[in-house]
Amino acid sequence: MLDYALLEALAAVIRSGGFDRAARQLNLTPSAISQRVKLLEERIGTALVVRGQPCTATPAGLRLCQHVEQVALLESELPAGIPGLLPSVGPVPLRIAVNADSLATWFIAAMAALPHCLFDLVLDDQDHSADWLRRGEVVAAVTAGGRGVPGCDLHPLGVLRYVATASPDFVHRHFADGVDVAALSRAPCLTFNAKDGLQAAWLRRALGDAAPVPAPPTHWLPSSQAFVDAALAGVGWGMNPLLLAAPHLAAGRLVALLPGTELDVPLVWQCSRLASATLGDVTRAVRRAAAELLRPAGREPGL
Amino acid sequence: MLDYALLEALAAVIRSGGFDRAARQLNLTPSAISQRVKLLEERIGTALVVRGQPCTATPAGLRLCQHVEQVALLESELPAGIPGLLPSVGPVPLRIAVNADSLATWFIAAMAALPHCLFDLVLDDQDHSADWLRRGEVVAAVTAGGRGVPGCDLHPLGVLRYVATASPDFVHRHFADGVDVAALSRAPCLTFNAKDGLQAAWLRRALGDAAPVPAPPTHWLPSSQAFVDAALAGVGWGMNPLLLAAPHLAAGRLVALLPGTELDVPLVWQCSRLASATLGDVTRAVRRAAAELLRPAGREPGL
């Protein structure tokens, strides 16, 4: 077996970002923490922590940190009938990959239903959150579409609907002659990051396969709320979740470009088959929140 | 001089995330793009692009991409009186590092004032955004406090005020006997990421130097809006910008823990001394938006 006293020190350094904070969390001196991490690095033969402000994990360090947290999660669920076996550890954070638009729209309702859980959320695009699960760095993920991760259970959650939106002023400036290929080639759009293919997918769908797909000038804006705020401020057009855009559309602060061209992204909850009651609770809360706030999956294939 | 035809292909692949999209942007075939990037990698002797879905930059690739974009920015400002010298390139995105809370509160007002500019925003903590500038990966940054980056101009912007907030229900559950060391050691808080020291700074300030600083259980939640949403939903307490929390405080949906213990974070605009008129316009717009929305810096030292 691995030496979990060393691993616990490693995880505390990585999670808190520093040796001093890790020492406070574990009631040890910073020098004891430092010795444990160094010993672990010597035994394993590779660097686990990048010393800095803050300290961060090397890939090997992160993998071990995930492992020790999964073990801690299982430990925290040992029957209460084994007294004195363990020091009381308190709740263990569940590391979960979520796409930014889910966090901005429906995921917090699931968190609120579980006051006894701690969440450690990693944000990534819905098309890439499954990679975190595949690499074993999270215990569950909100992913797009259907490809399952081996060793994980898969629960369809419904679809997140996106609308191409802009401010009335922006539409007046850029689309006075209609939303066509020429105007869409010139009007600045918003892109979350290089992984965000929603604007391009919408352009293909809205203009039809016959038209050349424009590559519009774009702002890069890695925040769901900033996407809405930037559309409201007339900075660009972008694909906004209907859940965030609806009140602004109703009040006329945002306008849908080419109504009837919404994109539906089917979301799926995938979680590791770790025999954890807490993870089961999270799955139930996530499915409940999604059922309440997402649209039921249609019969049409999604993105 | 470097071969800018090759560099332009590299930048397009990195920015668009793929060889096909880069080809469309530059009106070339994907195989021409691929050859250019390969040739550049051979000449330089190191990998510049990590081939994948999406393609991403190696550190060397990112540095070159930054360089070619700075050159393109300078090119775009050559006098219009040199016709035919250049193909029309359109606006060049300005890569700027911004802290998430500035993007969520006042920065978009500056973007909206500059409809002829494109922005490529990188999100990082205000204490670390200066590192992006130091590494030459951005042309400007919103940073905390005073340490200037060599070769950059520095403009104080005012302070962003933070309030420790939670929902009334959360306060009732966790702080029924008062906001003291014991309760703060048990009540879950929100932390943006390992770089986020605001909650710890508030605990030190609010409890005084005499008390032991609690290390509360924490959720990890890397989004400004999710911080507010999670506080509203009773998931945890956290340091929220007053600009986002104020309407919720006024309506009683959020409560300030220990009123009178706000934290003021002084923000600074630092920009490279690149002789760029566009960057000058951005600096003016940023200072104007900050003057309107941030608080003037007090005489007290900040964080």
Side-chain angles (χ1 to χ4, degrees), chain B residues 121-132:
Chain B
L121 299 188
V122 172
L123 290 192
D124 204 345
D125 188 86
Q126 62 272 7
D127 292 317
H128 297 83
S129 47
D131 297 339
W132 289 81

PDB file of all heavy atoms in Angstrom, chain B residues 121-132:
ATOM      1  N   LEU B 121      -9.459  37.945 -24.471  1.00  0.00           N
ATOM      2  CA  LEU B 121      -9.257  38.071 -23.028  1.00  0.00           C
ATOM      3  C   LEU B 121      -8.772  36.766 -22.410  1.00  0.00           C
ATOM      4  O   LEU B 121      -9.282  35.693 -22.696  1.00  0.00           O
ATOM      5  CB  LEU B 121     -10.556  38.501 -22.352  1.00  0.00           C
ATOM      6  CG  LEU B 121     -11.111  39.854 -22.805  1.00  0.00           C
ATOM      7  CD1 LEU B 121     -12.278  40.265 -21.927  1.00  0.00           C
ATOM      8  CD2 LEU B 121     -10.040  40.937 -22.782  1.00  0.00           C
ATOM      9  N   VAL B 122      -7.785  36.894 -21.544  1.00  0.00           N
ATOM     10  CA  VAL B 122      -7.262  35.791 -20.747  1.00  0.00           C
ATOM     11  C   VAL B 122      -7.684  36.064 -19.321  1.00  0.00           C
ATOM     12  O   VAL B 122      -7.461  37.166 -18.819  1.00  0.00           O
ATOM     13  CB  VAL B 122      -5.722  35.798 -20.819  1.00  0.00           C
ATOM     14  CG1 VAL B 122      -5.147  34.784 -19.854  1.00  0.00           C
ATOM     15  CG2 VAL B 122      -5.248  35.568 -22.226  1.00  0.00           C
ATOM     16  N   LEU B 123      -8.310  35.098 -18.648  1.00  0.00           N
ATOM     17  CA  LEU B 123      -8.719  35.325 -17.269  1.00  0.00           C
ATOM     18  C   LEU B 123      -7.651  34.796 -16.318  1.00  0.00           C
ATOM     19  O   LEU B 123      -7.208  33.667 -16.430  1.00  0.00           O
ATOM     20  CB  LEU B 123     -10.044  34.618 -16.964  1.00  0.00           C
ATOM     21  CG  LEU B 123     -11.289  35.187 -17.636  1.00  0.00           C
ATOM     22  CD1 LEU B 123     -12.535  34.574 -17.026  1.00  0.00           C
ATOM     23  CD2 LEU B 123     -11.341  36.702 -17.501  1.00  0.00           C
ATOM     24  N   ASP B 124      -7.234  35.621 -15.376  1.00  0.00           N
ATOM     25  CA  ASP B 124      -6.376  35.138 -14.292  1.00  0.00           C
ATOM     26  C   ASP B 124      -6.584  36.038 -13.090  1.00  0.00           C
ATOM     27  O   ASP B 124      -7.106  37.139 -13.198  1.00  0.00           O
ATOM     28  CB  ASP B 124      -4.900  35.094 -14.710  1.00  0.00           C
ATOM     29  CG  ASP B 124      -4.105  34.080 -13.877  1.00  0.00           C
ATOM     30  OD1 ASP B 124      -4.596  33.639 -12.823  1.00  0.00           O
ATOM     31  OD2 ASP B 124      -2.993  33.729 -14.277  1.00  0.00           O
ATOM     32  N   ASP B 125      -6.174  35.549 -11.941  1.00  0.00           N
ATOM     33  CA  ASP B 125      -6.276  36.289 -10.708  1.00  0.00           C
ATOM     34  C   ASP B 125      -5.521  37.619 -10.815  1.00  0.00           C
ATOM     35  O   ASP B 125      -4.490  37.697 -11.479  1.00  0.00           O
ATOM     36  CB  ASP B 125      -5.664  35.429  -9.611  1.00  0.00           C
ATOM     37  CG  ASP B 125      -5.889  36.002  -8.248  1.00  0.00           C
ATOM     38  OD1 ASP B 125      -6.942  35.731  -7.674  1.00  0.00           O
ATOM     39  OD2 ASP B 125      -5.020  36.770  -7.777  1.00  0.00           O
ATOM     40  N   GLN B 126      -6.052  38.665 -10.136  1.00  0.00           N
ATOM     41  CA  GLN B 126      -5.419  39.986 -10.228  1.00  0.00           C
ATOM     42  C   GLN B 126      -3.973  39.966  -9.716  1.00  0.00           C
ATOM     43  O   GLN B 126      -3.163  40.795 -10.111  1.00  0.00           O
ATOM     44  CB  GLN B 126      -6.232  41.048  -9.482  1.00  0.00           C
ATOM     45  CG  GLN B 126      -6.401  40.835  -7.989  1.00  0.00           C
ATOM     46  CD  GLN B 126      -7.629  39.978  -7.657  1.00  0.00           C
ATOM     47  OE1 GLN B 126      -8.262  39.447  -8.544  1.00  0.00           O
ATOM     48  NE2 GLN B 126      -7.934  39.851  -6.376  1.00  0.00           N
ATOM     49  N   ASP B 127      -3.657  38.990  -8.832  1.00  0.00           N
ATOM     50  CA  ASP B 127      -2.282  38.927  -8.333  1.00  0.00           C
ATOM     51  C   ASP B 127      -1.364  38.209  -9.313  1.00  0.00           C
ATOM     52  O   ASP B 127      -0.156  38.164  -9.110  1.00  0.00           O
ATOM     53  CB  ASP B 127      -2.238  38.214  -6.979  1.00  0.00           C
ATOM     54  CG  ASP B 127      -2.923  39.045  -5.899  1.00  0.00           C
ATOM     55  OD1 ASP B 127      -2.696  40.266  -5.882  1.00  0.00           O
ATOM     56  OD2 ASP B 127      -3.696  38.480  -5.107  1.00  0.00           O
ATOM     57  N   HIS B 128      -1.914  37.586 -10.351  1.00  0.00           N
ATOM     58  CA  HIS B 128      -1.086  36.818 -11.278  1.00  0.00           C
ATOM     59  C   HIS B 128      -1.174  37.297 -12.723  1.00  0.00           C
ATOM     60  O   HIS B 128      -0.434  36.834 -13.569  1.00  0.00           O
ATOM     61  CB  HIS B 128      -1.453  35.334 -11.187  1.00  0.00           C
ATOM     62  CG  HIS B 128      -1.172  34.771  -9.827  1.00  0.00           C
ATOM     63  ND1 HIS B 128      -2.050  34.902  -8.788  1.00  0.00           N
ATOM     64  CD2 HIS B 128      -0.078  34.147  -9.338  1.00  0.00           C
ATOM     65  CE1 HIS B 128      -1.529  34.348  -7.715  1.00  0.00           C
ATOM     66  NE2 HIS B 128      -0.348  33.885  -8.016  1.00  0.00           N
ATOM     67  N   SER B 129      -2.090  38.250 -12.999  1.00  0.00           N
ATOM     68  CA  SER B 129      -2.241  38.707 -14.377  1.00  0.00           C
ATOM     69  C   SER B 129      -0.973  39.420 -14.854  1.00  0.00           C
ATOM     70  O   SER B 129      -0.670  39.410 -16.052  1.00  0.00           O
ATOM     71  CB  SER B 129      -3.461  39.626 -14.504  1.00  0.00           C
ATOM     72  OG  SER B 129      -3.480  40.581 -13.484  1.00  0.00           O
ATOM     73  N   ALA B 130      -0.207  40.021 -13.928  1.00  0.00           N
ATOM     74  CA  ALA B 130       1.036  40.699 -14.332  1.00  0.00           C
ATOM     75  C   ALA B 130       2.039  39.703 -14.909  1.00  0.00           C
ATOM     76  O   ALA B 130       2.866  40.071 -15.746  1.00  0.00           O
ATOM     77  CB  ALA B 130       1.655  41.451 -13.144  1.00  0.00           C
ATOM     78  N   ASP B 131       1.960  38.430 -14.472  1.00  0.00           N
ATOM     79  CA  ASP B 131       2.897  37.424 -15.001  1.00  0.00           C
ATOM     80  C   ASP B 131       2.724  37.241 -16.508  1.00  0.00           C
ATOM     81  O   ASP B 131       3.695  37.007 -17.227  1.00  0.00           O
ATOM     82  CB  ASP B 131       2.681  36.067 -14.313  1.00  0.00           C
ATOM     83  CG  ASP B 131       2.970  36.147 -12.818  1.00  0.00           C
ATOM     84  OD1 ASP B 131       3.688  37.078 -12.412  1.00  0.00           O
ATOM     85  OD2 ASP B 131       2.469  35.294 -12.075  1.00  0.00           O
ATOM     86  N   TRP B 132       1.479  37.317 -16.985  1.00  0.00           N
ATOM     87  CA  TRP B 132       1.217  37.187 -18.424  1.00  0.00           C
ATOM     88  C   TRP B 132       1.910  38.300 -19.195  1.00  0.00           C
ATOM     89  O   TRP B 132       2.433  38.100 -20.277  1.00  0.00           O
ATOM     90  CB  TRP B 132      -0.293  37.251 -18.699  1.00  0.00           C
ATOM     91  CG  TRP B 132      -1.028  36.052 -18.247  1.00  0.00           C
ATOM     92  CD1 TRP B 132      -1.448  35.769 -16.975  1.00  0.00           C
ATOM     93  CD2 TRP B 132      -1.436  34.933 -19.052  1.00  0.00           C
ATOM     94  NE1 TRP B 132      -2.102  34.557 -16.946  1.00  0.00           N
ATOM     95  CE2 TRP B 132      -2.115  34.035 -18.208  1.00  0.00           C
ATOM     96  CE3 TRP B 132      -1.303  34.632 -20.398  1.00  0.00           C
ATOM     97  CZ2 TRP B 132      -2.649  32.833 -18.676  1.00  0.00           C
ATOM     98  CZ3 TRP B 132      -1.834  33.449 -20.873  1.00  0.00           C
ATOM     99  CH2 TRP B 132      -2.494  32.566 -20.004  1.00  0.00           C
TER     100      TRP B 132
END
